[in-house]
Amino acid sequence: MTQTPAVAVRGLHVRFGDVEAVAGVDLTAEAGQATALLGRNGAGKSTTMKVLAGVVPPTAGEVTVAGHDAATDALGVKRSVGYCPDVGGLVPRATPWEHLQLSARLRRMPDWEERGRDLLERFELGDVAHRVVGGFSHGMSRRLSVVLAALHEPAVLLLDEPFDGVDPLGVDATLEVVADARARGACVLLSTHLRDLALEACGEAVVLRGGNRVAAMRAGELTGEAYRALLD
Amino acid sequence: MRSSTEAWLGAARDTGHLVAFRARTVRRRRASAFGLAVALVLTLTFAVAPNGLDLEALGSPAVEHALASVRGNLGAAFAGFLLLAISSAMGSGGGRELLSRSEAAVHPISPLTEHLGALLLAPVNLAWLVQVWGLLAVTALVAPSGGLAGAQVVVLAWVLAATALGQAAGWAVEGVRRSPHGVLVVRSVGGAVAVVLAALHLAGLLGPLVRSLPTTWIAETAQTPDWPLVVVVLLALTVVAVVAGARPAAWALGLPPREELRVQSGVHEARHAPEPRWGSPDRALLRRLDRASVWRSVGMRRGLMVLGLGPGLVALVAGLEWSSVMVLPGLTASGAALLFGVNAWCLDGKGMVWRETLPVSAAAVFDVRALVVAECMAVVSGVTVVLALLRNGLPPLVVGVAVASCWLVVVVQVLAIVMTWSVRSPYGVDLSSPRATPAPHAAMAGYAGRLSLVTTLTALLFTGLSAVPWAWVPAVAALPFLAWSTRRLVRARRRWLVGDERARVVLTVAAV
């Protein structure tokens, strides 16, 4: 018996007016695995992630996330997914704790405080748990976005540029979150420009170029030369 | 070292570059040009049309009394405009900005350029626009036909001078506010001024004091052949105020914005999730977050307080009667909507993407946001009505019904309009600075003009209805307005519920 992939994307197209941000991406990602999504700026990585998070509906193609069709059941997708967006992702005048509280309550998590506190401590945000995030540095915001994505132990964890501007301790904490998610059987998709970190965190790699998938392979096979060749 | 003249010329050139940059980003050029033409036609109409009315020919003692009162208080109206210019500049942290703080940070923009930009943007303000139209209309009403042109030139010169003076005062107050304990000083002085004004009013001295101000001389001389002298004086005053305003501007902009920094690093201890007696806990939590986003913003909090108390205090002190008060709820509700409601989703900023990943229905998100916008409008316009109630006492039944109906209609009307705009034309903006606006300046000017026009016309209708002998008439007249606005609101909600439309709004507001 074959297991249904946690994320299955076939022929995904996303158009914004005249611009085709994603032009026929195919992608599968299994539960218990971490897959790196690599590519240059404008390759369609972040848009694909937004579709998988239920934020942007697909223009065409089939997208299934944890068994939910992204086109018809966006709410089901949102319940199953934890998403760290590529930019910002925080309500400027709310505190980290208020972000966590809202996310937990809407996902019907009865005892979330302890896990919330633990995650904030792991990402060194415990001291600023009740401070408005508008004054946070870029790195602090990125770390909090990862915490929010991981809080409810989602079946599918989507991390879009989680290492961007983050210090080494934050990088370690993020790698730990990815490892934990894999260990409990979640599917992790991690989009980044940083090949080395992608290889450290993920077992599989998918390379996008111009809105298309150009390669899918074991992460270990993606050498620096091979990666550069795929980007050109 | 650059000379002062070179600095001013350089600042003027930079302001031109910034204005040109902003002009190039105007999305709907035809609509903007049309809006500008409408504003000019309206201005011309207010400046000329009332002069053709021969109210004395009506022979009504009430009308004659009102006309005499308008004539006697024209100088006070001029003084009121100066007060408005000062409070607007104070409320907006010194004055509006041509480029947002984050956008401007990488450019060598001098405080002088900021000062000139703020002066240029002062008219992009509902209260400013309405007051100018009011001054022009009142002057046209009382000026002799032969002296109308001269009187209106004086009005325009006064508008320039008062705006420049207000700007200079606004920068000075912002400078004080940014100094150690400055917020406390500004609040204390503001409170003391309010107490003194109230005491003068209760002692019956405020009216004579206001009438003895030089603005009365300006208003009276404007209607005589000596008006060119007034224009020259006012233009000279404008130049002095513009030049003098550069100093407090440089001072204020050189200091850290303490209040904003304090709010941005503010600590808010954890609270239990709300458990409402009725309604969904999810919605209650969303509502709490949205309310916090409003009240934790320096600009919005300050704006709501000014809008709530300002017009109400004017009604209280100036002794406005119910017929005049009727127009205020619509204008204050519009002012509240212009703080963020015209681009309601900007409250979430870049967090809009994260909000959209939460497993909650899009309908609930829309309903809660609309409710929070409506709350802000209802509260500030409600304060105005309550203060008018304190001044005038309980009105006759028909007037009371007309005021209540008008209030309800304008709040629902403005809510429906701004939620439609929010879904149709979202903008990615950073509202962390009180100098920021929720939409580009051209759009804000259009929004301000349209909201003031719609709500003023509605108020005029209900003012007319308050004169009929049947109390049920205003209530019945409100029904079609409410039905139409509700339909519009439902249509905006339906549009928001479409996934593609919502994604467009989310990505635009979050600027990703």
PDB file of all heavy atoms in Angstrom, chain A residues 179-192:
ATOM      1  N   ALA A 179      14.084  19.302  13.112  1.00  0.00           N
ATOM      2  CA  ALA A 179      14.382  17.918  13.505  1.00  0.00           C
ATOM      3  C   ALA A 179      13.240  17.340  14.346  1.00  0.00           C
ATOM      4  O   ALA A 179      12.828  16.194  14.142  1.00  0.00           O
ATOM      5  CB  ALA A 179      15.693  17.882  14.283  1.00  0.00           C
ATOM      6  N   ASP A 180      12.718  18.128  15.278  1.00  0.00           N
ATOM      7  CA  ASP A 180      11.591  17.673  16.115  1.00  0.00           C
ATOM      8  C   ASP A 180      10.381  17.334  15.256  1.00  0.00           C
ATOM      9  O   ASP A 180       9.705  16.325  15.473  1.00  0.00           O
ATOM     10  CB  ASP A 180      11.183  18.785  17.101  1.00  0.00           C
ATOM     11  CG  ASP A 180      12.186  18.935  18.227  1.00  0.00           C
ATOM     12  OD1 ASP A 180      13.099  18.094  18.303  1.00  0.00           O
ATOM     13  OD2 ASP A 180      12.062  19.906  19.001  1.00  0.00           O
ATOM     14  N   ALA A 181      10.106  18.207  14.297  1.00  0.00           N
ATOM     15  CA  ALA A 181       8.935  18.000  13.433  1.00  0.00           C
ATOM     16  C   ALA A 181       9.089  16.702  12.648  1.00  0.00           C
ATOM     17  O   ALA A 181       8.139  15.915  12.528  1.00  0.00           O
ATOM     18  CB  ALA A 181       8.769  19.195  12.490  1.00  0.00           C
ATOM     19  N   ARG A 182      10.271  16.490  12.100  1.00  0.00           N
ATOM     20  CA  ARG A 182      10.505  15.247  11.347  1.00  0.00           C
ATOM     21  C   ARG A 182      10.332  14.036  12.260  1.00  0.00           C
ATOM     22  O   ARG A 182       9.736  13.034  11.889  1.00  0.00           O
ATOM     23  CB  ARG A 182      11.922  15.247  10.778  1.00  0.00           C
ATOM     24  CG  ARG A 182      12.083  16.160   9.601  1.00  0.00           C
ATOM     25  CD  ARG A 182      13.515  16.224   9.167  1.00  0.00           C
ATOM     26  NE  ARG A 182      13.971  14.951   8.568  1.00  0.00           N
ATOM     27  CZ  ARG A 182      15.179  14.772   8.061  1.00  0.00           C
ATOM     28  NH1 ARG A 182      16.054  15.755   8.080  1.00  0.00           N
ATOM     29  NH2 ARG A 182      15.520  13.631   7.517  1.00  0.00           N
ATOM     30  N   ALA A 183      10.857  14.173  13.477  1.00  0.00           N
ATOM     31  CA  ALA A 183      10.815  13.043  14.411  1.00  0.00           C
ATOM     32  C   ALA A 183       9.388  12.653  14.786  1.00  0.00           C
ATOM     33  O   ALA A 183       9.094  11.479  14.991  1.00  0.00           O
ATOM     34  CB  ALA A 183      11.603  13.399  15.669  1.00  0.00           C
ATOM     35  N   ARG A 184       8.504  13.626  14.850  1.00  0.00           N
ATOM     36  CA  ARG A 184       7.119  13.266  15.205  1.00  0.00           C
ATOM     37  C   ARG A 184       6.278  12.949  13.966  1.00  0.00           C
ATOM     38  O   ARG A 184       5.071  12.818  14.037  1.00  0.00           O
ATOM     39  CB  ARG A 184       6.475  14.355  16.052  1.00  0.00           C
ATOM     40  CG  ARG A 184       6.293  15.674  15.388  1.00  0.00           C
ATOM     41  CD  ARG A 184       5.575  16.693  16.280  1.00  0.00           C
ATOM     42  NE  ARG A 184       5.775  18.026  15.754  1.00  0.00           N
ATOM     43  CZ  ARG A 184       5.138  18.511  14.700  1.00  0.00           C
ATOM     44  NH1 ARG A 184       4.250  17.767  14.055  1.00  0.00           N
ATOM     45  NH2 ARG A 184       5.403  19.726  14.266  1.00  0.00           N
ATOM     46  N   GLY A 185       6.921  12.913  12.809  1.00  0.00           N
ATOM     47  CA  GLY A 185       6.241  12.463  11.594  1.00  0.00           C
ATOM     48  C   GLY A 185       5.619  13.572  10.771  1.00  0.00           C
ATOM     49  O   GLY A 185       4.782  13.315   9.901  1.00  0.00           O
ATOM     50  N   ALA A 186       6.007  14.828  11.050  1.00  0.00           N
ATOM     51  CA  ALA A 186       5.458  15.939  10.257  1.00  0.00           C
ATOM     52  C   ALA A 186       6.242  16.093   8.957  1.00  0.00           C
ATOM     53  O   ALA A 186       7.388  15.661   8.858  1.00  0.00           O
ATOM     54  CB  ALA A 186       5.540  17.236  11.051  1.00  0.00           C
ATOM     55  N   CYS A 187       5.607  16.701   8.004  1.00  0.00           N
ATOM     56  CA  CYS A 187       6.273  17.012   6.738  1.00  0.00           C
ATOM     57  C   CYS A 187       6.804  18.444   6.847  1.00  0.00           C
ATOM     58  O   CYS A 187       6.079  19.349   7.265  1.00  0.00           O
ATOM     59  CB  CYS A 187       5.255  16.903   5.615  1.00  0.00           C
ATOM     60  SG  CYS A 187       5.800  17.618   4.078  1.00  0.00           S
ATOM     61  N   VAL A 188       8.065  18.638   6.495  1.00  0.00           N
ATOM     62  CA  VAL A 188       8.655  19.983   6.578  1.00  0.00           C
ATOM     63  C   VAL A 188       9.062  20.428   5.180  1.00  0.00           C
ATOM     64  O   VAL A 188       9.722  19.681   4.450  1.00  0.00           O
ATOM     65  CB  VAL A 188       9.898  19.996   7.497  1.00  0.00           C
ATOM     66  CG1 VAL A 188      10.473  21.409   7.596  1.00  0.00           C
ATOM     67  CG2 VAL A 188       9.557  19.464   8.879  1.00  0.00           C
ATOM     68  N   LEU A 189       8.646  21.622   4.824  1.00  0.00           N
ATOM     69  CA  LEU A 189       9.112  22.246   3.573  1.00  0.00           C
ATOM     70  C   LEU A 189       9.847  23.511   3.967  1.00  0.00           C
ATOM     71  O   LEU A 189       9.283  24.361   4.672  1.00  0.00           O
ATOM     72  CB  LEU A 189       7.928  22.599   2.676  1.00  0.00           C
ATOM     73  CG  LEU A 189       7.551  21.579   1.598  1.00  0.00           C
ATOM     74  CD1 LEU A 189       6.297  22.030   0.890  1.00  0.00           C
ATOM     75  CD2 LEU A 189       8.674  21.397   0.591  1.00  0.00           C
ATOM     76  N   LEU A 190      11.074  23.641   3.518  1.00  0.00           N
ATOM     77  CA  LEU A 190      11.890  24.763   3.950  1.00  0.00           C
ATOM     78  C   LEU A 190      12.446  25.489   2.721  1.00  0.00           C
ATOM     79  O   LEU A 190      13.163  24.884   1.923  1.00  0.00           O
ATOM     80  CB  LEU A 190      13.020  24.218   4.839  1.00  0.00           C
ATOM     81  CG  LEU A 190      13.848  25.208   5.631  1.00  0.00           C
ATOM     82  CD1 LEU A 190      14.359  24.532   6.895  1.00  0.00           C
ATOM     83  CD2 LEU A 190      15.022  25.721   4.838  1.00  0.00           C
ATOM     84  N   SER A 191      12.053  26.730   2.575  1.00  0.00           N
ATOM     85  CA  SER A 191      12.514  27.495   1.421  1.00  0.00           C
ATOM     86  C   SER A 191      13.662  28.405   1.855  1.00  0.00           C
ATOM     87  O   SER A 191      13.551  29.095   2.875  1.00  0.00           O
ATOM     88  CB  SER A 191      11.352  28.334   0.892  1.00  0.00           C
ATOM     89  OG  SER A 191      11.832  29.417   0.163  1.00  0.00           O
ATOM     90  N   THR A 192      14.744  28.380   1.130  1.00  0.00           N
ATOM     91  CA  THR A 192      15.900  29.215   1.496  1.00  0.00           C
ATOM     92  C   THR A 192      16.832  29.418   0.306  1.00  0.00           C
ATOM     93  O   THR A 192      16.788  28.672  -0.662  1.00  0.00           O
ATOM     94  CB  THR A 192      16.680  28.584   2.674  1.00  0.00           C
ATOM     95  OG1 THR A 192      17.782  29.412   2.994  1.00  0.00           O
ATOM     96  CG2 THR A 192      17.166  27.191   2.346  1.00  0.00           C
TER      97      THR A 192
END
